[in-house]
Amino acid sequence: AIWDRISHLLAAGPAGTVTADPLSGQPDFDEGVQHRPLFGRHILVTAGPTHEPIDPVRYIANRSSGKQGFAIAEAAAAAGARVTLVAGPVTLATPPGVDRIDVESAREMADAVAAALPADAAVMVAAVADWRARDYAADKIKKDGGQLAPLPLAENPDILATLAARPDRPRLVVGFAAETSDVVAHAMAKRVRKGADWIVANDVSGDVMGGADNTVHLIRADGVENWPTLSKADVARRLIEHIGEELAND
Amino acid sequence: AIWDRISHLLAAGPAGTVTADPLSGQPDFDEGVQHRPLFGRHILVTAGPTHEPIDPVRYIANRSSGKQGFAIAEAAAAAGARVTLVAGPVTLATPPGVDRIDVESAREMADAVAAALPADAAVMVAAVADWRARDYAADKIKKDGGQLAPLPLAENPDILATLAARPDRPRLVVGFAAETSDVVAHAMAKRVRKGADWIVANDVSGDVMGGADNTVHLIRADGVENWPTLSKADVARRLIEHIGEELAND
């Protein structure tokens, strides 16, 4: 029903330069791209981990398969949006109709996000490393057989908070929160602290990473929706549905 | 010529319990498995990186695609050996005829290597992390907005040196050395320091990791062979040829 309403609202939306429909044949979206709920919108998605180099052979990484972010990019494209997917190092195939920009570190991801603006909505799914090795060693660090010095760290840019604070921020900024305890409470605090409009919170104390399913909570200013366990594709579709509804409230 | 000689030497070798040839149809090895140069041998191979967990979502990793180690396991199996492949986290398919044991950290890899003995030869290709985070945090470490403390590190077990020093060590222990400078000198020193019989040294200052080709030096007690740039499959075949020759000198 929401889909139908949105697609009618948007049917008279801005004319794009779409010359072919990369998503033709998808069962959920057999109508032309210009009739789809996110047609004319630009959705920015980040996905995957970041890798923070220590030296030429070592790095600090965050666990993230990238699957949830890629599923969201795919669902946004299927809903008719122009999609920019800024992806950390993962081995996933690019979904059809998605513009992919590959990055490695948090600083590269921050630059790619800024370069992708303007966007109508941003969904920041990437598991960005909070910190990196303070000093990059151009030569491989050798075991010296002596004491092992602690590794000095430096804080990475906060991509979500930085984006949410920009004057040209997307109208809707959605963050993700992977939590191992007090999932909803941590995520509600994160929403406020980061200046995000919504936070999708999930409990990663189990083995959700790399798996096909996800159990999430959608946290907005006016409350929390607890979603049932869904496939990552269904989490993506439901989130994109909500985003389409929100953007239609112009 | 070497292959021919070895296969004749080994044709009368120990009878195995091979009931099927998983490698049938491979063009280079159209003779029965019992006539192959490494038939009756057990070859242990390690491959890939290790991941050293910092907390549930972060880890320290070494760059390694695992391709060279997997190619060596595949070549050893094609040469008729029973092959145990201890693999760090990679997304590669298991070569035909290879017993694969998946591990994540250096300590897990060390345990899997010890459990796989006895072996006739060990080829330690994995890029094992020299160190890990000293303390594992069961809960995700939070940004606290204050000072970022350096990360305390602890030394990992030295899998190659430990294996080479065991009384039940494989007759031939081959290590790999990824170097960014003074490749041969560093690798020659590593051969002696680790107690390895051979070291395969490669220069990783370029972009060899993840690529299809490799330029290596084979370092033995009696000298250094500089190999031309070869595909990783050809490096593997040539190394297995040398190993077959060495093991045939009983």
Side-chain angles (χ1 to χ4, degrees), chain B residues 168-188:
Chain B
D168 59 348
R169 85 199 283 278
R171 185 167 142 220
L172 184 64
V173 173
V174 182
F176 266 64
E179 302 288 349
T180 46
S181 60
D182 296 326
V183 175
V184 168
H186 275 139
M188 290 179 74

Side-chain angles (χ1 to χ4, degrees), chain A residues 73-88:
Chain A
E74 181 164 20
R82 178 164 78 82
V83 179
T84 302
L85 171 62
V86 178

